[in-house]
Amino acid sequence: MGINQSEKKVKAIGFFDSGTGGLSVLCEARKLLPHEDFIYYADNINAPYGNLEDKKITKLTLEGVKYLLGFDVKMLVIACNTATAASANYLRGNFDLPIIGLEPAVLPASRQTKTKKILVIATQATINCKKYPLQFNGAEVRYCASKHLASVIENNFNDDNMIFCCIKKLLCPYDNWGYDCLVLGCTHYVLKRRIFEQVLCGRAQIFDGNYGTAQNIKRILAKKDILNTSGGKTVILLSNSSKNKDNLYKSILNGCI
Ligand code: DGL
């Protein structure tokens, strides 16, 4: 027997990422949807995903998604550009619930750029996985792949000096190119947006897909008439849990950007 609409409404929304990055998306979603319940699952034992092969990323993401489905969630948010690039199509073809992914926010950047030059920074796997356009809406787009930044942020979250140096080194080869828009194509990077701002010193505007994703979640829930009006809880679960890690994740969410 099917469940009725009011039972569907009160189900939680499942969030998945390899680690802390997706908390930046969850944060936007909680602001926009304060009466929803959320279950956030980070597969931090296998993080970072960004240097793995597509197949391995899809396998790990599938395991994470199945774990979240065990909580009978009404929607899945793949709060990770890397996992989205590798596995969103597969997941959408195999599961019968709304699945929302994260893609680099090139469209809004293309509407703002004056120099017609946009730089996207993301993990190696995100950039390798898909054929992203080199021209978009009349702008040239370049892609800066990072092998280490996501894990530096995951494992040294409070070491802003180390993160600053890592970002500076990554962006240095593009210093004279003349881009005026930088797209953060990894949810981990969004947690350190402030440090990107310090490195850029106003040379470029920064874009990410988080607010747009939160709006998308709300729009889809409203369209399906499954918005919750009575919730507000968030549960965070880690594949490699410890007191220190649990506290770090909670403090990132509470201190949210
Ligand atoms: N938050 C993931 C993303 O948006 C992190 C990548 C990783 O685990 O390397 O791509």
Side-chain angles (χ1 to χ4, degrees):
M1 203 170 61
I3 61 164
N4 66 35
Q5 204 63 11
S6 48
E7 283 174 88
K8 271 192 197 163
K9 288 182 184 188
V10 296
K11 289 182 180 185
I13 300 172
F15 267 66
F16 177 75
D17 185 27
S18 62
T20 49
L23 294 170
S24 66
V25 189
L26 177 57
C27 177
E28 290 297 340
R30 291 204 326 165
K31 281 190 224 155
L32 207 61
L33 297 158
H35 303 298
E36 292 292 340
D37 289 332
F38 297 95
I39 301 177
Y40 184 92
Y41 177 55
D43 182 22
N44 62 327
I45 201 163
N46 292 303
Y49 280 11
N51 301 325
L52 304 175
E53 303 260 307
D54 286 16
K55 269 193 183 160
K56 177 80 178 166
I57 298 169
T58 303
K59 183 178 173 285
L60 294 173
T61 305
L62 188 57
E63 283 165 16
V65 160
K66 284 185 179 160
Y67 179 67
L68 281 166
L69 290 175
F71 294 93
D72 200 17
V73 294
K74 63 182 173 185
M75 171 185 267
L76 276 171
V77 180
I78 309 298
C80 173
N81 295 73
T82 309
T84 301
S87 62
N89 288 344
Y90 176 83
L91 297 174
R92 289 191 182 115
N94 284 277
F95 295 100
D96 187 22
L97 82 169
I99 298 178
I100 295 185
L102 258 287
E103 301 258 357
V106 178
L107 178 65
S110 74
R111 293 182 178 135
Q112 296 295 321
T113 176
K114 302 259 185 312
T115 63
K116 302 288 173 202
K117 289 177 181 176
I118 299 168
L119 183 64
V120 177
I121 182 165
T123 66
Q124 188 79 58
T126 298
I127 289 172
N128 289 352
C129 232
K130 266 176 109 173
K131 285 242 165 305
Y132 291 104
L134 300 176
Q135 290 285 331
F136 193 87
N137 260 352
E140 185 185 350
V141 189
R142 289 195 187 173
Y143 298 87
C144 169
S146 171
K147 284 203 163 104
H148 304 297
L149 184 55
S151 64
V152 168
I153 293 171
E154 182 73 24
N155 298 316
N156 306 277
F157 193 82
N158 292 313
D159 193 339
D160 284 0
N161 279 339
M162 185 193 277
I163 297 167
F164 181 95
C165 292
C166 190
I167 293 172
K168 199 164 172 53
K169 203 166 159 198
L170 280 164
L171 296 182
C172 181
Y174 304 90
D175 277 357
N176 298 320
W177 179 47
Y179 67 96
D180 63 353
C181 292
L182 176 69
V183 177
L184 305 183
C186 169
T187 53
H188 276 71
Y189 305 169
V190 183
L191 293 172
K192 294 293 170 182
R193 190 187 177 104
R194 202 176 31 81
I195 300 184
F196 277 93
E197 282 165 4
Q198 286 166 6
V199 172
L200 288 169
C201 289
R203 276 183 289 127
Q205 223 183 308
I206 299 177
F207 294 80
D208 67 67
N210 288 6
Y211 181 65
T213 301
Q215 281 181 313
N216 208 14
I217 295 170
K218 187 173 182 180
R219 189 181 52 78
I220 291 170
L221 292 175
K223 195 171 159 204
K224 293 192 169 292
D225 191 24
I226 50 171
L227 276 165
N228 193 354
T229 50
S230 59
K233 291 189 296 295
T234 298
V235 175
I236 299 178
L237 300 161
L238 309 183
S239 60
N240 184 18
S241 174
S242 69
K243 208 168 181 175
N244 281 349
K245 290 204 176 95
D246 293 355
N247 286 341
L248 174 70
Y249 276 63
K250 274 189 211 138
S251 74
I252 293 173
L253 188 62
N254 292 335
C256 221
I257 345 182

